[in-house]
Amino acid sequence: MAHPLDHLPILRMNGAGNEILVLDLRGSDHALAPQEARAIANAPGLRFDQLMALHRPRRLGDDAYMRIYNIDGSLSAACGNGTRCVAYALAREGKDALRLETEAGLIETRRQADMVFTVDMGRPRLGWREIPLARAVEDTREVALDPPVAGAPARFSAVSMGNPHAVFFVDDATQIDLETLGPRIERHPLFPERVNVSFAQMLARDDILLRVWERGTGATKACGSAACATLVAAARSGIGERAARLRLPGGDLTIEWRTDDHVLMTGPVEFEFETRLDPQIFQGALA
C-alpha cells in the first residue's frame, strides 16, 4: 500500500543555522503523525531541528495553516527561523508577504531582500498561566528555579512566544554546559509543557550573545522564538533595549519589540536542496 507522503517534494533549508525542512501538504488531507516526522528525521540527509508542514488555509485571506514538528515528533506552536524558510518557499510562488495560521495564532511575514525575511511573531505572553508555569509567581521577570538544578543559575525570566521559554542571564554564555543543563531544565517540574532554555550574555544593551536548548530538539545553532523571548526578557528586566542584535552560533538575528507589543524578527535563510521523500522512509510507519 502506498503511503500518502511517498515521493512528495521536500525542501531542506536553514535559518541562521537552524536546520529546517519545509513539506507542502496543501494538496493533501494528510497530517503528519509523530512517528512519520521521526521517520523523516532518520532518513539520510533529512535530519532537522524543525519540520514545517504546510496545509490548506482554514480561514479566508490566509496563505496556509502551518504545523511545526520537532525532531522527536512533538509539536511546537512557534518557530521563527522555520517560518522565514516557509516565507522563502512561498516567495517562489510570487508571494512576498504572507499570512500563516499556527497554533500560536496568526503570523505575518514580509520579504526584505532576496534571502532576508521579517516575521511578526506576535505579542509575548507574560502571565504565569499563559507561559505556562506549574505554580503562581508574582513577577515572571524573575522566577526562582525551585527545586534548584546543580550548576544552573538560581533565577530566570519566563516568556512565551507561543511556546514557553526560560531565559537565564549569565556572565559568560560560552562557559555554560548546555548539554547537561539543557535537558535537566527542559523537563523541570516547574514547566508542565517542558520549556526552551536560553543562556544569554549581555554584550551591550542592544547586543546579546545567546545559546539555546530547544525542547524536543536539543542544542541548536539558532532559535528564533528564543531570540525574541530573550529580547523581551532583557527589556522587561531593564538591562536591554527593545531592539537588539542577537548573536547565535548559526548567525545573527535582529529583534524588535515594537510599541504595539508585537515582536519582529529579521534574519537570513539559506536554501540547501530539494528532494522527494523515498517510500522506504515510511515502511516502518505503516506497521
Side-chain angles (χ1 to χ4, degrees):
M1 181 186 299
H3 191 280
L5 299 175
D6 287 354
H7 304 295
L8 284 186
I10 191 165
L11 275 64
R12 180 175 178 84
M13 303 185 63
N14 77 76
N18 212 180
E19 298 176 351
I20 303 295
L21 298 181
V22 180
L23 179 61
D24 191 349
L25 296 174
R26 288 176 295 169
S28 168
D29 292 325
H30 186 76
L32 278 179
Q35 64 268 27
E36 292 169 335
R38 292 193 295 268
I40 292 172
N42 288 328
L46 294 182
R47 187 198 181 281
F48 60 82
D49 293 321
Q50 275 76 40
L51 187 157
M52 319 295 288
L54 303 181
H55 300 269
R56 283 189 292 264
R58 304 191 299 186
R59 304 180 307 184
L60 187 65
D62 290 352
D63 293 286
Y65 172 69
M66 189 165 66
R67 286 190 175 95
I68 306 168
Y69 295 82
N70 298 314
I71 194 170
D72 66 356
S74 62
L75 285 167
S76 178
C79 176
N81 288 321
T83 301
R84 292 202 316 280
C85 292
V86 169
Y88 168 82
L90 296 186
R92 302 193 308 175
E93 301 175 0
K95 298 178 179 178
D96 287 339
L98 299 175
R99 290 169 52 94
L100 302 167
E101 183 189 0
T102 72
E103 289 303 307
L106 179 68
I107 294 179
E108 297 185 353
T109 74
R110 183 169 296 278
R111 191 174 204 161
Q112 302 294 350
D114 184 36
M115 301 296 283
V116 178
F117 295 82
T118 293
V119 177
D120 183 343
M121 297 289 287
R123 295 178 173 86
R125 302 169 191 177
L126 306 173
W128 71 270
R129 290 185 180 89
E130 299 175 298
I131 289 167
L133 301 177
R135 66 171 183 268
V137 298
E138 185 173 336
D139 189 350
T140 56
R141 289 178 297 182
E142 189 174 5
V143 182
L145 187 63
D146 186 20
V149 173
R155 296 184 176 275
F156 66 92
S157 184
V159 179
S160 172
M161 292 303 309
N163 49 4
H165 292 267
V167 182
F168 295 84
F169 291 100
V170 297
D171 292 333
D172 188 348
T174 65
Q175 296 303 306
I176 294 295
D177 186 354
L178 190 63
E179 297 288 347
T180 298
L181 294 180
R184 292 179 181 174
I185 299 172
E186 175 190 355
R187 297 182 179 275
H188 190 283
L190 188 53
F191 308 108
E193 296 180 6
R194 298 186 291 166
V195 75
N196 296 279
V197 186
S198 294
F199 295 97
Q201 177 183 346
M202 301 300 299
L203 304 175
R205 288 183 59 87
D206 60 354
D207 196 357
I208 306 173
L209 180 67
L210 186 62
R211 296 177 67 205
V212 182
W213 178 274
E214 284 195 74
R215 64 172 183 172
T217 296
T220 56
K221 293 181 180 179
C223 177
S225 62
C228 294
T230 298
L231 183 284
V232 170
R236 291 183 76 215
S237 299
I239 60 174
E241 303 295 338
R242 292 179 69 100
R245 173 170 63 177
L246 276 289
R247 302 178 187 235
L248 297 113
D252 296 352
L253 298 172
T254 301
I255 310 296
E256 179 187 4
W257 187 13
R258 295 190 314 202
T259 55
D260 66 359
D261 204 27
H262 281 236
V263 181
L264 270 61
M265 175 190 58
T266 302
V269 298
E270 183 177 349
F271 175 80
E272 296 183 10
F273 61 81
E274 183 172 1
T275 187
R276 290 186 177 270
L277 293 172
D278 188 331
Q280 292 185 358
I281 293 173
F282 305 107
Q283 287 181 356
L286 288 171

